[in-house]
């Protein structure tokens, strides 16, 4: 005890400083875990309305959870590169571990729809 003269104030201050650093590190780990779990659970209770509420990082996470790849095929011969966008030129690789139910999700005008 410091009051009884058994510990020096410098020693106690060092212990308190280390404890404060440890607490701060643990709190950061908790925040990181909560964020990663939140990202993992983005598709629970999915609705089209949620897409509009998501920020860019959440949208990227959803896309990464649904697709393995999205390949834009070349514009066919004889079609102007100024022609309107043709979604048929997108070849999608679906994640197999999520089941066929995810294949109902479609990209429609900037929105992922079910």
């Amino acid at each position: 005890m410091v009051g009884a003269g058994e510990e020096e104030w410098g020693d106690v201050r060092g212990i308190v400083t280390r404890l404060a650093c440890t607490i701060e590190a643990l709190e950061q780990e908790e925040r990181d875990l909560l964020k990663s779990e939140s990202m993992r659970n983005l598709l629970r209770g999915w609705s089209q309305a949620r897409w509009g509420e998501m920020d860019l990082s959440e949208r990227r996470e959803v896309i990464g959870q649904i697709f393995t790849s999205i390949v834009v095929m070349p514009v066919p011969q004889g079609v102007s590169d100024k022609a309107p966008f043709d979604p048929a030129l997108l070849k999608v690789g679906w994640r197999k571990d999520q089941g066929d139910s995810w294949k109902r999700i479609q990209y429609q005008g900037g929105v992922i729809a079910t």
Side-chain angles (χ1 to χ4, degrees), residues 7 15 19-20 26 32 44 53 58 69 81-82 96 113:
E7 296 287 336
I15 291 169
L19 284 173
L26 290 172
D32 292 346
R44 289 189 189 265
E53 300 168 358
E58 291 170 329
S69 64
D81 52 347
K82 295 188 182 346
K96 298 195 186 294

Side-chain angles (χ1 to χ4, degrees), residues 6 21 40 68 112:
E6 297 171 11
C21 288
R40 236 172 36 104
T68 56
I112 291 183

Side-chain angles (χ1 to χ4, degrees), residues 61-75:
E61 184 65 27
V62 166
I63 290 168
Q65 288 181 24
I66 297 172
F67 306 119
T68 56
S69 64
I70 300 174
V71 177
V72 180
M73 303 304 288
V75 176

